[in-house]
Amino acid sequence: LKPEEVRAARAEELEFMRKVELFDEVPEQECCAATGKWPVSTKWVDVNKGTKESPDIRCRLVARDFKPKGEKDREDLFAAMPPLEAKKLLFRMAAAPPSARPLKLMFIDVKKAHLNGVVGEGELAYVELPAEANSSRRCGRLKKWLYGMRPAASAWEKDYADHFAQVGFVRGLSAPTVFFHPVTLVRCVVHGDDCTFLGYEDELRKVEGQMREWYQ
């Protein structure tokens, strides 16, 4: 990877983190006093999502929040995945013989999805800040979860589920990543940061607008 392209991508990632107020810069001493240990270490993961001829450099700052020795399973870290049948059902419904109002599929990929999960009230989490942050002897007290922090996936699930509920979607009971709107008849299956919607085009356009208000 070309160093200048990596530098630009890392700067863009840090700028986004500051834009969404991912963390507050605080002295490392605060972390030690509050948690009894140093901030969680971090590292950059730099990849080319494009080609050699047309590079698309992506840089993610990732926390190394490893499971401590002796810790037992924690249900609060669980994040659900949809059954394959849920997505297959949407495709089968979309491919059914056309009616007066045909159903359509819409695919939305949320950028930097896991950076949207909010750190719960009363929780304290601290991470090392990279050299690019120009923060001498300071660390970040997280307000939203960083990639690599173990609660990040479950917090992201809670965030999008809360947004869907606010606009009238009903959440699945046996599959909590499946949603249905009883008024607009829009259906949705969420897999990680990928959202697959099925519905009438005018209703899907409204959902697209709502998603753009909430996320990139």
Side-chain angles (χ1 to χ4, degrees), residues 160-161 164 169-172 176-181 186-188 190:
Y160 69 70
F164 286 163
F169 279 91
V170 178
R171 194 174 188 181
T177 53
V178 174
F179 299 84
F180 174 68
H181 199 295
V186 173
R187 291 172 166 82
C188 177
V190 182

Side-chain angles (χ1 to χ4, degrees), residues 105-122:
L105 289 163
M106 178 173 70
F107 304 93
I108 291 183
D109 176 13
V110 179
K111 293 180 66 176
K112 308 179 192 291
H114 283 180
L115 300 184
N116 290 285
V118 178
V119 177
E121 188 175 349

Side-chain angles (χ1 to χ4, degrees), residues 101-177:
R101 290 185 73 194
L103 293 170
K104 294 193 174 185
L105 289 163
M106 178 173 70
F107 304 93
I108 291 183
D109 176 13
V110 179
K111 293 180 66 176
K112 308 179 192 291
H114 283 180
L115 300 184
N116 290 285
V118 178
V119 177
E121 188 175 349
E123 292 185 271
L124 290 174
Y126 298 83
V127 297
E128 286 182 349
L129 295 179
E132 289 82 357
N134 297 318
S135 179
S136 176
R137 301 298 297 171
R138 299 174 75 81
C139 63
R141 182 178 63 226
L142 294 179
K143 300 166 72 174
K144 296 183 178 180
W145 293 107
L146 180 66
Y147 298 109
M149 296 297 288
R150 290 188 295 154
S154 59
W156 157 240
E157 181 181 307
K158 181 181 184 306
D159 191 79
Y160 69 70
D162 288 347
H163 279 307
F164 286 163
Q166 289 168 6
V167 294
F169 279 91
V170 178
R171 194 174 188 181
L173 296 178
S174 60
T177 53

Side-chain angles (χ1 to χ4, degrees), residues 4 15 32 37 86 88 123 132 155 171 173 185 212:
E4 63 274 14
E15 178 61 28
C32 295
K37 50 190 176 183
K88 290 170 69 175
E123 292 185 271
E132 289 82 357
R171 194 174 188 181
L173 296 178
L185 306 183
R212 289 185 183 278

Side-chain angles (χ1 to χ4, degrees), residues 5 12 40 45 58 69 91 95 145 169 198:
E5 293 177 344
E12 186 273 335
V40 175
V45 177
R58 305 282 184 86
K69 187 176 181 180
F91 301 150
W145 293 107
F169 279 91
L198 176 77

